[in-house]
Amino acid sequence: MRRTGPTTVTPVKDTGPPGRGLLYGLGRACARHPWRVIGVWLLVLLAAVAADRAWGGSYADDFDLSGTPSRTGSDLLNAHGAAGSRGVAAQIVVRSDAGPLSAHRDTLTAAGQRLTALPDVISVAAPLDTAGAVTDDGRTGYYTVRFRENPAQFEKSYVGRVDAAVRALRADDVTVEYGGPLGQLARPAAADRASEAIGIGTAVLVLLLGFGSVAAAGFPLLTAVIGLLAGLSVLGLLASRYAFAAASPTLATMMGLGVGLDYSLFLVTRHRKLLHSAEGPVEATARTVATSGRAVLVAALTVTAALAGLFASGVDFIGMLGVAAGTTVLVGALAALTLTPALLGLAGRRIDRWHVRTPVDEPDDSGDIWHRWAATVRRRPWTFLLLGLLGLGVLGAPAAALRLGHVDAGASPVSYTERRAYDLVADGFGPGADGPLTVVVTLDKDHRTTGAQRDALARALRDALTATPGVAAATPPKATEDGALLVSTVTPDTGPQARATTALVHRLEDDVLPGVLSEEGATGYLTGTTAAQQDFRDILADRLPVVVGVVVAAAFVLLLAVFRSPLVALKAAVLNLLSITASFGVVVAVFQWGWGSRLFGIDETVPVESYVPMMMFAIVFGLSMDYEIFLLSRVRETWLETRDNHRSVAVGLAGTARVITCAALIMTSVFLAFLLSTSVVIKMLALGLGVSVVLDATVVRLLLVPAAMYLLDEANWWIPRWLDRLLPRLDPEGSRGRAESTGAAVPAGRVTR
């Protein structure tokens, strides 16, 4: 059948190197002067690490919720001088097993005085002097300490000063535990070294078994580690100026180590292939950077663009997590594009001199296992397409039950003081005492001046609050000194992360408070940590579709510009969304439903942390595009040379299957190693990202992509003329440069065969 189009194309032979552009020159320069490049990287690394140690900042969970009810209520409390509203509050929980706390009155008073004298402390409310701060049996109570700044951001040494202030209590056989942000400060330093060691050790094993060469294994590892250390140091310096979440360095490590290994491995693999045909090692390195280096650059920019899409959430806390991960991704890509070529140039043709097995290159013929697999998929494309979609659908089904929330201290290890403080409060005061809600009511001018009306409203409000299902207790609303506000504390029946507590917050905000206050010209707000977490969750749930739309649209346009094919770009976006949904389903089943959660050190079901789906989506979508670009760039390169779609898919799959499989195994091991983290949120990200990489490298790349491309046939490469003229030129493999250097045409639209 004859297909008409604007251009008749002559197949392009691989008769020479691609166009000698910037990347070609960069690769050649790095390979010719390897010691200079290595020296510069070592100097940069030492300077960055030293600067980070001298001026680097700290990480803490602190987010701005301007315009939300919880923030409005907090601002009103501060503006009208409500008692105990200044600064940031933290609890110090005390427990006496030998008798009531009143037997330790003098020691408790002295400890309170020492706490008051600490730097940055505004006030201390002692348990025996504060109504409701001691349990009915008198054995458990708590200090409420208010700090000028969030204590979670203080230096670790501050915990030692608090320990000294309460030392006499512990000597008097009183248990003392720190809750809230003070408990966060007292957490042990993140033990990520074991996870990093497992990831690196697995990478060594996979690379040696997959490629046989010690150098081929060592160069990606060395490049990735140097790039990671430099990226983390840069992140530390950024943290001195900007607020980053506590999970930022761990997330940056996961991303930097994973993509750093992938990018360098992709370059090393292509270099070893080109060594057979290039004039020498320097030329092979230059061609490697000019071809595969373009794919690495486009892949890194795609990941970074996906992470930048997190700013579409409108929450800086989330956007800065994307910046943290993007920092190590970009530094890792820079290391891969400069340090790896320098190491390749230094090794020359001796890259396979040390080996543990016969070194393996990309296949040259159609008899290898990957060509045979491609032929198998070609014979039954519909079967493999439906099997792949069915598998992703089964794994993704639990995602329909996704429940966002906040993973509180109750899910932390019992070795953490914040977990022990949480349990003491829950056991003594009830589970809701770990997440009280503060009701703030603004009064109109009449209510500010008429005491009788204000008192009547306060009684009506208390009656409504105590009668609300899910409320364990509510304090009598009290007016501020200026009479502008009424303030009450509501204790829920359930803990902060329970579904019932979420329902209570919405019930109070949507029904109870408007029902009592609207006719009186007053307005009510819920504030406090639990209310703020709920506002945060609602914001992210509302804006997740926006982030998804922005990231998918950006990736679609980028792939469209790179591969000049609307169908290829659309297929990539759809398949990536399916694999992400499947990874969401696994996270819901393990953490929310508890299927196998004990294997990961979690002894209770928890909601999915509100920002995890958004972070997972951006990261997974970006990483999926990495493999998509690596695979499709080789498919398109062969297509431009042969105009045979079936051969292009087979050659592209065979040429990249080994490197993608090894890269996926490495990245999966890096991610899953972080299941050893004590943070439940990090465990969620680790499992979700690890599962997504496995699915992407197997079900998507080995089943769905080749099956779909076989079914679409030459329609894969169709693009309207007007769109081809409109799009910028981005060439991941230098194919256009090679085509132009031989005088062949690069078409727009369908081709004549």
Side-chain angles (χ1 to χ4, degrees):
M1 181 177 66
R2 181 181 179 85
R3 292 189 172 133
T4 61
T7 310
T8 300
V9 179
T10 303
V12 180
K13 303 297 183 182
D14 189 7
T15 57
R20 286 168 168 75
L22 179 62
L23 289 177
Y24 179 92
L26 176 65
R28 187 176 184 85
C30 292
R32 291 185 64 185
H33 307 287
W35 287 115
R36 295 183 186 178
V37 176
I38 294 171
V40 168
W41 265 105
L42 291 178
L43 287 175
V44 168
L45 177 61
L46 291 175
V49 170
D52 181 31
R53 289 183 176 273
W55 303 296
S58 59
Y59 306 92
D61 293 336
D62 191 12
F63 42 87
D64 181 13
L65 296 176
S66 299
T68 62
S70 60
R71 179 59 182 270
T72 302
S74 176
D75 290 343
L76 285 169
L77 289 174
N78 292 327
H80 294 280
S85 64
R86 295 175 55 205
V88 179
Q91 288 183 338
I92 297 180
V93 185
V94 291
R95 166 77 182 178
S96 173
D97 292 323
L101 288 173
S102 57
H104 307 275
R105 181 178 296 274
D106 292 342
T107 311
L108 286 166
T109 301
Q113 292 170 349
R114 287 190 291 270
L115 288 169
T116 304
L118 290 177
D120 295 304
V121 171
I122 299 173
S123 65
V124 176
L128 296 178
D129 301 328
T130 306
V134 178
T135 56
D136 292 339
D137 64 5
R139 294 174 181 267
T140 304
Y142 56 85
Y143 294 91
T144 299
V145 184
R146 304 199 74 88
F147 298 88
R148 289 187 177 86
E149 304 291 341
N150 187 347
Q153 298 177 335
F154 291 174
E155 295 290 337
K156 284 285 186 183
S157 59
Y158 195 90
V159 177
R161 307 182 75 164
V162 178
D163 289 338
V166 300
R167 185 176 295 123
L169 277 172
R170 290 180 169 135
D172 208 20
D173 292 329
V174 175
T175 299
V176 182
E177 304 294 351
Y178 309 141
L182 185 60
Q184 296 174 22
L185 179 66
R187 289 176 185 171
D192 295 334
R193 295 294 178 263
S195 300
E196 295 168 9
I198 291 173
I200 292 174
T202 305
V204 172
L205 184 62
V206 170
L207 290 171
L208 288 177
L209 293 178
F211 296 94
S213 168
V214 173
F219 289 173
L221 286 171
L222 181 61
T223 301
V225 170
I226 290 177
L228 174 63
L229 293 176
L232 288 175
S233 299
V234 171
L235 178 61
L237 293 174
L238 289 174
S240 66
R241 297 290 303 275
Y242 305 100
F244 285 91
S248 296
T250 302
L251 180 61
T253 299
M254 294 167 64
M255 291 295 296
L257 188 58
V259 302
L261 285 165
D262 274 12
Y263 295 162
S264 183
L265 175 61
F266 193 60
L267 293 173
V268 171
T269 303
R270 192 64 183 274
H271 172 79
R272 294 172 71 231
K273 173 71 173 178
L274 292 174
L275 271 177
H276 300 308
S277 58
E279 296 176 358
V282 172
E283 178 64 19
T285 304
R287 292 177 61 183
T288 295
V289 178
T291 54
S292 295
R294 282 185 171 88
V296 167
L297 184 59
V298 172
L301 292 176
T302 304
V303 175
T304 306
L307 293 170
L310 291 171
F311 278 105
S313 67
V315 180
D316 288 344
F317 176 88
I318 298 298
M320 296 309 288
L321 280 171
V323 171
T327 298
T328 50
V329 169
L330 289 178
V331 175
L334 180 61
L337 291 172
T338 55
L339 185 56
T340 299
L343 294 172
L344 294 175
L346 190 64
R349 295 192 180 277
R350 297 169 297 173
I351 189 170
D352 292 329
R353 182 177 179 181
W354 298 283
H355 56 270
V356 296
R357 53 165 289 191
T358 303
V360 180
D361 283 329
E362 294 179 6
D364 289 313
D365 55 52
S366 59
D368 69 286
I369 185 174
W370 297 113
H371 276 95
R372 293 197 299 272
W373 172 253
T376 301
V377 176
R378 176 183 175 183
R379 286 193 294 270
R380 295 181 178 85
W382 278 112
T383 299
F384 286 103
L385 182 67
L386 293 176
L387 284 175
L389 293 176
L390 179 62
L392 293 181
V394 170
L395 290 175
L402 175 68
R403 180 171 72 89
L404 300 182
H406 174 60
V407 180
D408 59 28
S412 298
V414 293
S415 59
Y416 282 18
T417 184
E418 62 178 321
R419 167 63 185 272
R420 297 193 295 271
Y422 182 98
D423 290 343
L424 286 174
V425 170
D427 292 341
F429 297 90
D434 279 308
L437 303 166
T438 301
V439 178
V440 180
V441 176
T442 60
L443 306 174
D444 61 20
K445 292 182 179 180
D446 291 336
H447 287 113
R448 293 181 189 178
T449 56
T450 307
Q453 291 178 324
R454 185 178 61 216
D455 293 342
L457 180 61
R459 288 192 297 271
L461 177 61
R462 186 186 184 189
D463 291 342
L465 292 175
T466 55
T468 301
V471 172
T475 63
K478 292 184 178 180
T480 54
E481 292 185 3
D482 62 1
L485 305 177
L486 287 174
V487 182
S488 174
T489 299
V490 173
T491 303
D493 280 333
T494 50
Q497 67 184 19
R499 186 190 299 269
T501 303
T502 299
L504 174 62
V505 170
H506 288 150
R507 189 180 303 121
L508 291 173
E509 288 183 332
D510 300 338
D511 301 323
V512 177
L513 294 181
V516 176
L517 305 175
S518 58
E519 293 184 2
E520 304 297 331
T523 306
Y525 303 93
L526 285 184
T527 189
T529 302
T530 301
Q533 291 289 352
Q534 187 59 44
D535 285 342
F536 186 58
R537 176 256 181 217
D538 291 343
I539 289 173
L540 296 187
D542 291 342
R543 296 179 183 174
L544 179 59
V546 177
V547 173
V548 170
V550 169
V551 172
V552 171
F556 177 82
V557 172
L558 182 61
L559 288 178
L560 189 59
V562 169
F563 297 110
R564 326 300 293 180
S565 168
L567 289 178
V568 165
L570 179 62
K571 171 189 60 64
V574 171
L575 294 183
N576 286 342
L577 287 174
L578 291 176
S579 66
I580 291 170
T581 302
S583 63
F584 282 176
V586 173
V587 169
V588 169
V590 171
F591 293 93
Q592 191 174 309
W593 293 356
W595 292 5
S597 59
R598 292 187 180 275
L599 297 175
F600 306 118
I602 302 169
D603 56 7
E604 63 177 65
T605 59
V606 296
V608 176
E609 181 66 39
S610 53
Y611 63 83
V612 163
M614 194 173 286
M615 290 298 304
M616 274 184 57
F617 172 78
I619 295 172
V620 171
F621 201 88
L623 293 179
S624 298
M625 287 300 172
D626 270 10
Y627 296 147
E628 189 81 15
I629 290 168
F630 292 163
L631 171 60
L632 293 181
S633 60
R634 297 302 301 278
V635 174
R636 180 173 181 266
E637 180 183 7
T638 306
W639 164 256
L640 291 176
E641 295 171 358
T642 66
R643 297 303 160 190
D644 185 334
N645 182 73
H646 291 169
R647 173 173 170 75
S648 299
V649 174
V651 171
L653 181 62
T656 59
R658 182 181 300 274
V659 65
I660 287 180
T661 301
C662 289
L665 285 173
I666 292 169
M667 189 170 287
T668 300
S669 68
V670 169
F671 288 151
L672 294 185
F674 280 87
L675 287 170
L676 297 176
S677 172
T678 55
S679 168
V680 177
V681 176
I682 295 299
K683 290 178 186 287
M684 285 183 185
L685 287 170
L687 182 63
L689 295 178
V691 168
S692 69
V693 171
V694 170
L695 293 176
D696 196 74
T698 54
V699 177
V700 175
R701 299 295 157 245
L702 298 182
L703 294 180
L704 297 179
V705 170
M709 295 195 75
Y710 281 136
L711 289 171
L712 291 172
D713 199 15
E714 291 186 6
N716 285 306
W717 313 109
W718 169 82
I719 183 172
R721 271 187 172 277
W722 64 267
L723 183 58
D724 185 60
R725 289 193 299 267
L726 182 64
L727 292 171
R729 296 285 175 182
L730 299 175
D731 191 4
E733 285 284 355
S735 305
R736 184 175 182 85
R738 177 164 53 255
E740 290 171 347
S741 69
T742 59
V746 179
R750 291 189 182 273
V751 297
T752 299
R753 297 198 56 193

